Amino acid sequence: MTGVWVVLGTLVVAGIAGAVLRARNGRVRAARRSPASDLPEPVATALDTGAQVTLVQISTTFCTPCRHTRALLGPLAERTDGLNHVDLDVTNQPEVAQALGVLRTPTTIAFRADGTELLRVGGVPKRETLIEALRPHLTARVGD
């Protein structure tokens, strides 16, 4: 009988953990870091000084959600003036992810042209939520 309770307890804990992770996926969070001078070199190089906002997508080679994120952010940036999207593969550069405090891929970080972090999204972004979060930082209409 004890084994049944252990299995049931494990299933309940796993279900709660899965629900929490699913709820956090794609959620837009406020910026974690502000000093632009601390940016890793690959990120600083990727920033587009001509764009108001650059979305830096932190990816890895075999990350399937990264492909979905790329398919969402690329066209969004193409349709929006002042918005740029860069996909940065950190498979062979784990120090970049560590310096940015990235624990999972994909993670998308929005930066101003000066390197100031505006917001970040862990997982595949929810399109409408991301557009709403980017509106205050762009002068053009987002994604229309």
Side-chain angles (χ1 to χ4, degrees):
M1 189 66 178
T2 303
V4 172
W5 288 112
V6 169
V7 170
L8 285 175
T10 302
L11 289 173
V12 167
V13 169
I16 291 170
V20 167
L21 289 174
R22 197 171 318 116
R24 292 184 66 195
N25 189 40
R27 187 177 52 138
V28 176
R29 293 179 298 166
R32 239 188 203 178
R33 33 184 297 121
S34 56
S37 61
D38 293 347
L39 287 178
E41 189 271 329
V43 175
T45 303
L47 295 181
D48 182 354
T49 56
Q52 293 171 316
V53 176
T54 299
L55 298 174
V56 177
Q57 176 185 336
I58 307 299
S59 302
T60 52
T61 303
F62 299 106
C63 169
T64 301
C66 296
R67 288 184 227 133
H68 296 292
T69 300
R70 189 178 312 113
L72 172 83
L73 298 180
L76 179 65
E78 289 173 8
R79 290 190 310 268
T80 306
D81 291 334
L83 184 64
N84 185 37
H85 169 246
V86 176
D87 187 1
L88 186 61
D89 188 333
V90 297
T91 303
N92 298 319
Q93 307 173 72
E95 66 279 357
V96 173
Q98 184 179 14
L100 293 171
V102 172
L103 300 176
R104 65 184 272 194
T105 58
T107 293
T108 304
I109 306 173
F111 290 99
R112 263 195 236 137
D114 66 1
T116 303
E117 183 178 326
L118 300 172
L119 56 93
R120 62 174 54 206
V121 181
V124 179
K126 294 175 176 83
R127 185 181 186 281
E128 295 307 318
T129 306
L130 181 62
I131 288 172
E132 196 60 38
L134 288 172
R135 274 200 176 103
H137 306 288
L138 295 167
T139 55
R141 289 181 52 160
V142 182
D144 295 327

